[in-house]
């Protein structure tokens, strides 16, 4: 009886059933297979979800086929049979560029999780273009490794019933989910608060590394001194170590964070929050980018002090 009820619930939401074992498989489309999207697609597939991907540059998506993921040739092909769609594209304009085709192909019962960092203003524009589509504001915390490991932290806002419907997907890509509220935009607002913190920690770590070096002290001693104490941060240790090694292998591209800092400053100004620190962060990361590190990891911000 319980199995029959489970099958009926799965069919109500449009999920396929794996014949013989009675397990419902959610069909997921991921649009955008950069560093984050590719990792999310692999994590979802590893958890048994049926995953299809699309990327504007098709060559970047093709390697995912080796992981049992279907590579679609168009947005329509990727989305048309999906129960849930994730957009993990660069910015608001990139999402809006696919919105009309996405919405036209979206099944009436499907849920669209907009995971790119676009800020409250961006998600408002996307929601207006999405019309009657069931849209969740769902940016994520984490970079390349958490995306690959399925340990991101989705920050979700929107219709609670829609959130419940995509729980299998949220659990596949994340270690935990933070529900920011029922209002679209609350997830994006929380993401900006978190990324402001991340940018500040990274820049502050770079400043201390550069200051120690400038004063003739081994900068590794700074990381040793704070380690284990109340002012320590695992992120400071991670990025500080990369700074000492001059290892700029990208986990979070510096120009990507610059884009997010601009969103932080804009949202803060709109809310009447002072932007002094955000403006300073924008200048420091811009200096590192101008020195040729825009595509490198955010740890390369230390080069602003070179």
């Amino acid at each position: 009886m319980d199995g029959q009820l489970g099958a009926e619930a799965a069919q109500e939401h449009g999920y396929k059933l794996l014949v013989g074992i009675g397990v419902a498989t959610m069909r997921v489309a991921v649009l955008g297979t950069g560093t984050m999207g590719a990792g999310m697609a692999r994590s979802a597939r590893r958890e048994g979800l049926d995953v299809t991907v699309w990327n504007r540059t098709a060559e970047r998506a093709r390697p995912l086929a080796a992981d049992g993921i279907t590579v679609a040739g168009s947005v329509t092909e990727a989305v048309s049979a999906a129960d849930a769609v994730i957009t993990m594209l660069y910015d608001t304009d990139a999402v809006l560029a696919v919105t009309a085709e996405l919405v036209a192909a979206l099944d009436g019962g499907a849920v669209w999780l907009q995971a790119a960092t676009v800020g409250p203003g961006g998600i408002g524009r996307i929601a207006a273009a999405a019309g009657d589509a069931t849209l969740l504001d769902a940016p994520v915390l984490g970079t390349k490794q958490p995306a690959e490991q399925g340990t991101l932290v989705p920050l979700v806002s929107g219709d609670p019933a829609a959130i419940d419907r995509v729980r299998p997907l949220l659990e596949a890509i994340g270690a935990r989910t933070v529900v920011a509220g029922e209002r679209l935009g609350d997830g994006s607002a929380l993401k900006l608060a978190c990324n402001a913190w991340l940018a500040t920690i990274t820049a502050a770590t770079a400043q201390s590394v550069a200051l120690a070096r400038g004063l003739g002290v081994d900068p590794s001693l700074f990381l040793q001194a704070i380690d284990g104490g109340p002012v320590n941060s695992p992120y400071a240790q991670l990025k500080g170590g990369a700074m000492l090694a001059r290892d700029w292998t990208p986990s979070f591209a510096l120009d990507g964070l610059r884009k997010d800092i601009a969103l932080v400053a804009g949202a803060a100004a709109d809310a009447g929050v002072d932007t002094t620190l955000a403006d300073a962060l924008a200048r420091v990361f811009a200096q590192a980018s101008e020195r040729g590190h825009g595509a490198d990891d955010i740890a390369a911000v230390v080069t602003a002090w070179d």
Side-chain angles (χ1 to χ4, degrees):
M1 182 67 173
D2 290 343
Q4 178 63 31
L5 289 173
E8 290 173 355
Q11 289 166 347
E12 179 183 350
H13 292 304
Y15 303 161
K16 305 191 290 195
L17 293 181
L18 297 180
V19 178
I21 56 175
V23 177
T25 299
M26 177 178 282
R27 297 165 297 193
V28 177
V30 179
L31 307 186
T33 59
T35 299
M36 296 296 291
M40 295 164 79
R42 288 191 178 99
S43 291
R45 182 70 192 104
R46 192 170 56 247
E47 292 301 312
L49 305 188
D50 184 350
V51 182
T52 299
V53 298
W54 171 87
N55 197 68
R56 187 177 304 280
T57 304
E59 290 76 12
R60 298 190 67 180
R62 288 193 184 110
L64 292 167
D67 298 291
I69 293 169
T70 301
V71 179
S74 68
V75 171
T76 298
E77 183 185 344
V79 169
S80 59
D83 302 305
V85 178
I86 296 175
T87 45
M88 181 50 86
L89 302 166
Y90 183 70
D91 59 11
T92 302
D93 288 342
V95 176
L96 289 172
V98 302
T99 295
E101 185 177 358
L102 188 166
V103 171
L106 201 65
D107 181 88
V111 178
W112 173 11
L113 297 89
Q114 201 310 104
T117 302
V118 298
I123 196 66
R125 291 172 60 197
I126 293 165
D132 295 332
T134 302
L135 175 67
L136 293 177
D137 182 18
V140 297
L141 292 184
T143 52
K144 181 179 180 179
Q145 186 174 353
E148 292 282 358
Q149 295 176 341
T151 56
L152 295 167
V153 179
L155 311 174
V156 186
S157 64
D159 177 17
I163 295 173
D164 285 342
R165 278 157 55 193
V166 296
R167 285 287 179 185
L169 176 55
L170 294 171
E171 291 170 2
I173 66 172
R176 59 191 175 90
T177 297
V178 175
V179 177
E182 297 186 18
R183 182 179 61 176
L184 285 178
D186 285 352
S188 285
L190 180 57
K191 177 63 186 292
L192 292 189
C194 292
N195 274 19
W197 173 244
L198 178 151
T200 303
I201 290 176
T202 306
T205 301
Q207 176 179 256
S208 291
V209 165
L211 181 60
R213 181 178 288 123
L215 294 174
V217 175
D218 180 351
S220 69
L221 295 175
F222 157 65
L223 296 178
Q224 290 181 40
I226 65 171
D227 194 18
V231 298
N232 187 42
S233 159
Y235 207 72
Q237 295 292 335
L238 176 68
K239 295 304 178 184
M243 292 170 193
L244 296 179
R246 309 291 282 188
D247 179 2
W248 314 138
T249 304
S251 178
F252 187 172
L254 190 143
D255 276 350
L257 184 55
R258 286 184 65 204
K259 180 263 294 182
D260 293 353
I261 292 169
L263 291 174
V264 168
D270 290 345
V273 176
D274 187 87
T275 64
T276 299
L277 182 53
D279 294 340
L281 290 169
R283 288 193 298 273
V284 168
F285 280 91
Q287 284 177 237
S289 181
E290 289 162 5
R291 292 178 180 180
H293 296 287
D296 291 333
D297 189 75
I298 60 175
V301 69
V302 73
T303 62
W305 282 271
D306 285 351

